[in-house]
Amino acid sequence: GLRKAMLIGMIGTCVGSWIKVGSVSPGRYWLVLLGQGVVGTFGVFLLGVCPKLAAVWFGPHEVSLARRIGVFGSQFGIAVGFVFPPMLFNNSTNREIIEKGFYTLTITVALITTLALAMIFTFFKEQPPSPPSPAQLRIQTNIEQKKNFWQSVKILFFNWSYVLLVLSYGTNVGIFYAFSTLLNQIILIYYPAGAIHAGRIGLIIVISGMIGSVFCGFILDAFSRYKLTITAVYLSCVLSLIAFSFMLGSDIVVFYFISTLLGLFMTALLPIGYELAAELTYPVGEGSSGGILTAAAKVFGIVFTYLYSHFLNTINDIAANIAMSGVLGLGAVFLFFIRFDLQRQKFSSVREFS
């Protein structure tokens, strides 16, 4: 169930966070790996929570906004990750300052995860007293589907439109993860004193992405133009990454502007992908479709981070960015073969007029 998944995920995340508090002292690198391994392992339980929670608790006119707010939560965490560490370390090489910064960072994270776990345990319920939408009622009353998880997975992977969405979404978000991971390294090539800039640019990318998510969400809510919206956003991602590639080394103000555009479009795709996955795969539960979508993005992120880093270190940054732009363009091609058959929307419309 939803509550069990969240509790298991947060317990593991909390334990792993406290393990990392004890790993700050020199000579305890193995403890860093252990703590990060625990967090990563139990984080799997939280990957598909956002789309599932939105669908279970909110009605058809609220679910899109709820899902966007959930995405905002993860993006806010990324934004804090861009800004907070540079403030603690300030590019210092002093061992005492670095150790103090790591203690502050790990203890803060551990306390936040502990508070989150306590709140989930105390306040979070499995589901509302009654289903918030006809679509959710159908899912909750489909006992066979709820029991047979692997049957649902089989249905998903034989839905070719969904498979294409997984490939397209995974490519986009995977490249975004790789880009975010290596942003500091890329910026320092052209701006040697740019550690602070890297944090600020990362923050701007996330904030602009939140704005883009809200805007695209309102378009979907008002017009339900999934194909037009996701295609326009995806192509804008490709163009923005190409522009980013050739603007490296330019005036820092121009670089900030291009980074804003990149974040505006790349992050905006996150909630659109979840929404479209739920529409294409209904009546399969949103937890399954959203979870596979998220898992694919993580796998793609690992692959693209390795490739991006490899090109960055063996060739140069422009070649690395152009290569990623080409891969992103391939992801856009997948969209043109998706059949935008919005099953959940059709079912809700039929129930409303019946």
Side-chain angles (χ1 to χ4, degrees):
L2 191 58
R3 176 179 164 83
K4 288 181 181 178
M6 290 190 68
L7 282 174
I8 293 171
M10 280 309 303
I11 288 171
T13 302
C14 184
V15 170
S17 298
W18 282 108
I19 290 174
K20 287 195 286 185
V21 172
S23 69
V24 173
S25 297
R28 297 181 183 175
Y29 184 64
W30 64 272
L31 206 55
V32 176
L33 296 179
L34 176 62
Q36 194 62 33
V38 171
V39 171
T41 300
F42 284 88
V44 172
F45 290 91
L46 302 173
L47 291 180
V49 163
C50 176
K52 180 68 174 177
L53 187 148
V56 168
W57 278 91
F58 296 92
H61 302 296
E62 304 162 337
V63 65
S64 178
L65 176 60
R67 191 170 284 127
R68 291 199 299 273
I69 292 173
V71 171
F72 286 174
S74 65
Q75 294 306 302
F76 177 76
I78 294 173
V80 172
F82 275 123
V83 176
F84 195 40
M87 291 172 58
L88 290 175
F89 303 108
N90 199 24
N91 217 22
S92 175
T93 56
N94 185 289
R95 181 171 171 175
E96 291 184 2
I97 293 176
I98 294 173
E99 187 170 341
K100 182 181 178 181
F102 270 120
Y103 267 121
T104 302
L105 181 63
T106 54
I107 289 174
T108 301
V109 172
L111 289 173
I112 291 173
T113 55
T114 303
L115 177 62
L117 174 60
M119 293 179 69
I120 291 171
F121 185 81
T122 305
F123 300 110
F124 189 80
K125 307 297 181 185
E126 178 69 29
Q127 60 187 36
S130 59
S133 66
Q136 193 57 216
L137 175 63
R138 183 184 178 190
I139 291 175
Q140 291 184 13
T141 53
N142 192 340
I143 304 298
E144 291 302 316
Q145 182 176 294
K146 289 172 68 176
K147 288 183 177 180
N148 197 338
F149 169 76
W150 293 111
Q151 182 64 26
S152 297
V153 173
K154 182 179 178 181
I155 292 171
L156 290 175
F157 280 105
F158 276 94
N159 184 332
W160 296 113
S161 291
Y162 175 71
V163 172
L164 289 169
L165 176 63
V166 169
L167 293 173
S168 182
Y169 178 90
T171 299
N172 185 288
V173 180
I175 288 176
F176 175 71
Y177 288 155
F179 175 80
S180 301
T181 302
L182 299 170
L183 179 62
N184 189 67
Q185 186 177 338
I186 295 169
I187 289 176
L188 289 177
I189 295 174
Y190 292 93
Y191 310 98
I196 296 296
H197 285 305
R200 291 172 181 169
I201 288 172
L203 175 64
I204 287 173
I205 287 173
V206 174
I207 291 176
S208 62
M210 290 180 175
I211 295 171
S213 297
V214 172
F215 180 71
C216 293
F218 281 130
I219 291 177
L220 290 181
D221 289 341
F223 305 107
S224 298
R225 301 295 296 272
Y226 281 86
K227 184 175 183 178
L228 176 63
T229 304
I230 195 170
T231 303
V233 170
Y234 212 112
L235 292 176
S236 299
C237 291
V238 178
L239 295 175
S240 298
L241 187 55
I242 293 173
F244 178 89
S245 305
F246 290 103
M247 288 298 174
L248 284 167
S250 61
D251 185 80
I252 193 67
V253 176
V254 176
F255 193 63
Y256 269 83
F257 175 72
I258 295 297
S259 300
T260 301
L261 292 180
L262 191 63
L264 183 70
F265 297 116
M266 292 196 85
T267 311
L269 197 75
L270 294 174
I272 299 174
Y274 285 127
E275 283 291 312
L276 184 56
E279 292 287 350
L280 294 176
T281 60
Y282 183 81
V284 174
E286 290 86 351
S288 299
S289 61
I292 291 174
L293 208 63
T294 306
K298 300 294 183 183
V299 172
F300 277 64
I302 294 170
V303 173
F304 290 142
T305 300
Y306 172 78
L307 292 176
Y308 206 162
S309 178
H310 177 72
F311 288 143
L312 202 61
N313 294 322
T314 58
I315 308 177
N316 57 52
D317 58 285
I318 294 179
N321 287 318
I322 293 299
M324 291 299 105
S325 299
V327 175
L328 196 59
L330 179 62
V333 171
F334 291 138
L335 289 178
F336 291 98
F337 296 96
I338 293 177
R339 183 169 173 261
F340 287 80
D341 187 14
L342 309 180
Q343 294 291 333
R344 186 180 63 177
Q345 205 169 93
K346 286 181 180 178
F347 182 79
S348 296
S349 299
V350 170
R351 289 299 298 266
E352 285 180 6
F353 289 104
S354 62

